[in-house]
Amino acid sequence: QVQLVESGGGLVQAGGSLRLSCVASGSIFSINTMGWYRQAPGKQREVVATITTLSSTNYADSVKGRFTISRDNAKNTVTVYLQMNSLKSEDTAVYYCAGHRRWSDAEPYWGQGTQVTVSS
């Protein structure tokens, strides 16, 4: 099993910045790509950014140039960050960290989510 714990959400004014963190622990050898997803009220969950074990990244078009995903691979944990700059009201959502399984197409491991609210 893998445990994911997010932190760093909060309330920020439009144009401001936040940095989200996600610490993965447990059987971290069983996950490879990690990502950040978000779900706004009344909308489906969507991918924000992903990062592979070799730190290759992908971003949703809506956040390119504003958000940066990074990861720190330690011996017993993996920490994934999402630096969010130039925040917009449409970035308001619950942000979830995900750890994709290395040997399976099953549902990724999910964190509990952290709320990001951008006031205009």
Side-chain angles (χ1 to χ4, degrees):
Q1 286 292 322
V2 174
Q3 295 78 43
L4 302 173
V5 179
E6 301 110 329
S7 61
L11 173 64
V12 64
Q13 288 189 332
S17 299
L18 280 176
R19 189 174 85 152
L20 305 183
S21 299
C22 170
V23 179
S25 60
S27 301
I28 59 171
F29 59 86
S30 66
I31 58 174
N32 48 16
T33 296
M34 296 193 68
W36 286 97
Y37 295 72
R38 66 187 181 187
Q39 187 167 20
K43 295 187 177 181
Q44 289 189 329
R45 189 176 298 187
E46 62 177 3
V47 61
V48 176
T50 59
I51 186 166
T52 69
T53 52
L54 297 180
S55 294
S56 177
T57 59
N58 275 293
Y59 296 91
D61 288 342
S62 59
V63 306
K64 281 181 181 176
R66 300 188 298 122
F67 291 10
T68 302
I69 189 171
S70 60
R71 70 188 283 167
D72 180 15
N73 299 311
K75 181 178 180 181
N76 296 313
T77 60
V78 177
T79 303
V80 181
Y81 303 97
L82 186 68
Q83 177 67 44
M84 305 186 294
N85 299 327
S86 303
L87 282 161
K88 306 175 181 180
S89 57
E90 51 263 45
D91 295 318
T92 295
V94 178
Y95 283 70
Y96 297 91
C97 177
H100 292 266
R101 301 174 192 246
R102 185 183 298 272
W103 299 295
S104 169
D105 291 332
E107 188 74 6
Y109 296 102
W110 293 102
Q112 81 284 359
T114 184
Q115 177 71 47
V116 171
T117 303
V118 184
S119 64
S120 56

